Amino acid sequence: MSVTVDGDKSGLVPVRVRRILRGPRPEKVPALVGTACTLIGLIDIAAGVFPRFRASRMHAMAEVLPGTLGPLSAALSLSAGVLLLLLAHGLKRHKRRAWRAAVVLLPLGAVAQFVWRHSVLGALLSLVLLTLLLRHRGEFAALPDPRSRWRALANFVLMGAGSIALGLVIVSAHPRRVLGDPSLADRLEHVLYGLFGVEGPVDYSNGVDWTVGYSLGALGMLTALTTIYLAFRPEHPAARLTDEDEVRLRALLDQHGGRDSLGHFALRSDKGVVFSPSGKAAVCYRVVSGVMLASGDPIGDVEAWPGAIERFMDEAKAHSWTPAVMGCSETGGQVWTRETGLDALELGDEAVVDVADFSLSGRAMRNVRQMVKRIERNGYTTRVRRVRDLDDAELERVRRAAADWRGTDTERGFSMALGRIGAPGDGDAVIATAHKNDTDDPDSPYGDLKAIIHFVPWGADGMSLELMRRDRSADPGMNELLIVAALQASPDLGIARVSLNFAMFRSALARGEKIGAGPVLRVWRGLLVFLSRWFQIESLYKFNAKFRPRWEPRFVVYRKSRDLPRISFAAMQAEGFVSLSLPRPLARRRPAPTARPCAHIVPAAAEREIRAA
């Protein structure tokens, strides 16, 4: 096979020769540069820390890297190595600021090579890499990620811990030059003093103390400079839904909200939004750990979805974010994959109950029917109303109870949680409450309120389960009681369909327990059952199945298979099951978690409530 190279009309130049002549493809340059920075950074650190490494056969490789071999060279090599490691990830992600920092660092390294070591080869290598960066500068145009001032403190903690650990290695890397036998405490004290540029209690011979001192001082300087930079750089806040965006989204939901049961959750205040050029469709998202995470289908007219999806992908490319969609429908998955070339994977099924077909009669509903009757005999009553029908005092009591019964400091949920009750514009939401006079606690701040279920609108004739909370002192089965009450009251509210929960990997659990299931499917089901000890997978599926729903498949859309672990971790962060935020020592302790099977995965602590039911 042959192709024509620019300027060659014969068409006889082989593809391999063409690639060599033209060099690496531009889209491959950031990955190559990032990998090179990682390798060079590790070798620089080793050359600055371990004397034997510099004197070994690897010395020839270390010579061409920024730094000198004296005391100053050890500190310079160590600094360059740490900086290159910090820049490598940003270069791989096409970040403009990482490119600017590398463009500044490489000439300094070239000057150090020529002035201190008189190494033409080392200076030439730095300039070659600099030339490559300048030639492909258009590939490094990604904008900064959303950030906050907390990153400065996180950087100080992590860099400080890393500097202390690396400093102990530096102090201990010269055993034959140490005078006396300093203890670990003495070495640690020497490191802490050295990070501030002060000489510590450990003494060396043959000028090694200068090498150690320069190296520790460089680590301390890097920790201070990076922390100061993060603390004082301009703030770039995370995406938030503005009042104007919310008005436009509500207009789209009024016209097309019945298409997707997750549509109303796009109104979360912590989501950003991109609209199609016509304004007839939108995609809402949140950026978590470099993943641009959308949920559900685009909002609005299906004909305008491609325009909104294109804007979404452009935004992801501009910031070098990893695009992903969690929980889209089959129609949404088809549009996403067709318009973007992304892949789709079935994630689970959504339980949808058609109100007209729901009944407590029959053998299949026997357990639910008996549980509801038992709870009603114990004195519990239910009320199902639109949120706009609650007075201010009762609404405030419901809000307080929902917050206090939450059980965790973090409000969980992203794709199937709104995070608020009774906000302006949410009057069409439905709330079901359970009540019982409590003689043991007549002064309860919640009155006779014992459990809450909150639904958000799903078009004009549907609603989606958003929140489930109950008092821990209430009888088991509150969830079943309120769901049944909501379904029975739905005809009077004009509700024809109710979306309950999302069950992950439901089809695998259902098929794996049938006769004739293959060994692979049985192993996969066994793994899911095992994971259900910590995450509510099997129990949530069985809880949904009690109400005899129809199952609607939901999909995750992703770019490459290797992105799935990263997307999964970002989704767990967004849903509130993994938190990388700093601890809050003064946070008020809350009671144990309550069942809330409206999110994708619920911790095992909440599983006990459903099992008890």
mmCIF file with all atom_site columns, all heavy atoms in Angstrom, residues 394 419 528 533:
data_model
loop_
_atom_site.group_PDB
_atom_site.id
_atom_site.type_symbol
_atom_site.label_atom_id
_atom_site.label_alt_id
_atom_site.label_comp_id
_atom_site.label_asym_id
_atom_site.label_entity_id
_atom_site.label_seq_id
_atom_site.pdbx_PDB_ins_code
_atom_site.Cartn_x
_atom_site.Cartn_y
_atom_site.Cartn_z
_atom_site.occupancy
_atom_site.B_iso_or_equiv
_atom_site.pdbx_formal_charge
_atom_site.auth_seq_id
_atom_site.auth_comp_id
_atom_site.auth_asym_id
_atom_site.auth_atom_id
_atom_site.pdbx_PDB_model_num
ATOM 1  N N   . GLU A 1 394 ? -45.797 23.401  57.682 1.00 0.00 ? 394 GLU A N   1
ATOM 2  C CA  . GLU A 1 394 ? -45.640 21.970  57.418 1.00 0.00 ? 394 GLU A CA  1
ATOM 3  C C   . GLU A 1 394 ? -44.482 21.716  56.459 1.00 0.00 ? 394 GLU A C   1
ATOM 4  O O   . GLU A 1 394 ? -43.740 20.750  56.622 1.00 0.00 ? 394 GLU A O   1
ATOM 5  C CB  . GLU A 1 394 ? -46.931 21.394  56.854 1.00 0.00 ? 394 GLU A CB  1
ATOM 6  C CG  . GLU A 1 394 ? -46.901 19.871  56.730 1.00 0.00 ? 394 GLU A CG  1
ATOM 7  C CD  . GLU A 1 394 ? -48.234 19.299  56.315 1.00 0.00 ? 394 GLU A CD  1
ATOM 8  O OE1 . GLU A 1 394 ? -49.163 20.084  56.016 1.00 0.00 ? 394 GLU A OE1 1
ATOM 9  O OE2 . GLU A 1 394 ? -48.353 18.057  56.307 1.00 0.00 ? 394 GLU A OE2 1
ATOM 10 N N   . GLY A 1 419 ? -32.158 17.273  45.402 1.00 0.00 ? 419 GLY A N   1
ATOM 11 C CA  . GLY A 1 419 ? -31.426 17.940  46.473 1.00 0.00 ? 419 GLY A CA  1
ATOM 12 C C   . GLY A 1 419 ? -32.177 19.060  47.154 1.00 0.00 ? 419 GLY A C   1
ATOM 13 O O   . GLY A 1 419 ? -31.578 19.835  47.903 1.00 0.00 ? 419 GLY A O   1
ATOM 14 N N   . LEU A 1 528 ? -21.971 -9.870  41.778 1.00 0.00 ? 528 LEU A N   1
ATOM 15 C CA  . LEU A 1 528 ? -22.902 -8.801  42.135 1.00 0.00 ? 528 LEU A CA  1
ATOM 16 C C   . LEU A 1 528 ? -23.527 -9.050  43.505 1.00 0.00 ? 528 LEU A C   1
ATOM 17 O O   . LEU A 1 528 ? -23.704 -8.105  44.292 1.00 0.00 ? 528 LEU A O   1
ATOM 18 C CB  . LEU A 1 528 ? -23.994 -8.692  41.067 1.00 0.00 ? 528 LEU A CB  1
ATOM 19 C CG  . LEU A 1 528 ? -23.540 -8.223  39.682 1.00 0.00 ? 528 LEU A CG  1
ATOM 20 C CD1 . LEU A 1 528 ? -24.705 -8.252  38.711 1.00 0.00 ? 528 LEU A CD1 1
ATOM 21 C CD2 . LEU A 1 528 ? -22.936 -6.828  39.748 1.00 0.00 ? 528 LEU A CD2 1
ATOM 22 N N   . ARG A 1 533 ? -23.094 -6.855  49.598 1.00 0.00 ? 533 ARG A N   1
ATOM 23 C CA  . ARG A 1 533 ? -22.828 -6.735  51.038 1.00 0.00 ? 533 ARG A CA  1
ATOM 24 C C   . ARG A 1 533 ? -22.482 -5.302  51.406 1.00 0.00 ? 533 ARG A C   1
ATOM 25 O O   . ARG A 1 533 ? -22.704 -4.867  52.528 1.00 0.00 ? 533 ARG A O   1
ATOM 26 C CB  . ARG A 1 533 ? -21.687 -7.668  51.441 1.00 0.00 ? 533 ARG A CB  1
ATOM 27 C CG  . ARG A 1 533 ? -21.979 -9.150  51.216 1.00 0.00 ? 533 ARG A CG  1
ATOM 28 C CD  . ARG A 1 533 ? -20.799 -9.995  51.657 1.00 0.00 ? 533 ARG A CD  1
ATOM 29 N NE  . ARG A 1 533 ? -21.032 -11.431 51.454 1.00 0.00 ? 533 ARG A NE  1
ATOM 30 C CZ  . ARG A 1 533 ? -20.165 -12.381 51.782 1.00 0.00 ? 533 ARG A CZ  1
ATOM 31 N NH1 . ARG A 1 533 ? -18.993 -12.038 52.332 1.00 0.00 ? 533 ARG A NH1 1
ATOM 32 N NH2 . ARG A 1 533 ? -20.451 -13.649 51.553 1.00 0.00 ? 533 ARG A NH2 1
#
